[in-house]
Amino acid sequence: MFAVIFKAKTGVQDAEYSKTVGLMRDLAFSKYNCQDFIAVTEGEQEIAISYWNSQEDIQRWHQDSQHSVAQQMGRDKWYTSYIVEVVEIKRRYSFCE
């Protein structure tokens, strides 16, 4: 399993941003096998972590034309800077009641 960690400093996040985030999330799950997606914003900092079965799914997602448009909008309007890290999960464990 792999994770994509997106860390950003936010800019103007308007109604179009919220709509686009929902559409991109739905697309990632329905077309590219995204397994989970968690995002948190605190002040001007945002972190989003998505989980994927393969690097191929991540690459196909990255190259999607709708995602490319959203990425450009992010650079132009919604974020002042960001970092993306792709990591392989070597071990995973949990505690559940």
Side-chain angles (χ1 to χ4, degrees):
M1 180 167 272
F2 296 85
V4 176
I5 303 167
F6 175 81
K7 297 184 280 189
K9 184 175 179 186
T10 60
V12 177
Q13 295 186 333
D14 53 14
E16 185 179 13
Y17 168 82
S18 297
K19 179 181 175 184
T20 302
V21 166
L23 292 172
M24 292 301 99
R25 184 184 300 248
D26 291 346
L27 183 64
F29 281 109
S30 66
K31 192 171 179 182
Y32 296 105
N33 304 313
C34 181
Q35 300 299 300
D36 197 6
F37 187 97
I38 301 160
V40 176
T41 302
E42 183 176 311
E44 293 183 340
Q45 299 296 314
E46 177 180 317
I47 186 165
I49 305 172
S50 55
Y51 295 89
W52 307 79
N53 287 328
S54 71
Q55 289 184 358
E56 292 78 18
D57 288 339
I58 295 168
Q59 190 64 35
R60 288 181 26 240
W61 163 244
H62 180 69
Q63 294 172 347
D64 181 90
S65 61
Q66 289 177 293
H67 188 218
S68 294
V69 170
Q71 289 174 348
Q72 188 61 51
M73 289 294 293
R75 287 188 293 272
D76 291 347
K77 185 175 183 180
W78 298 323
Y79 300 106
T80 60
S81 63
Y82 64 82
I83 296 170
V84 177
E85 300 167 324
V86 178
V87 299
E88 184 173 7
I89 298 170
K90 297 287 189 176
R91 184 169 58 122
R92 182 178 181 204
Y93 57 92
S94 63
F95 169 76
C96 299
E97 285 190 23

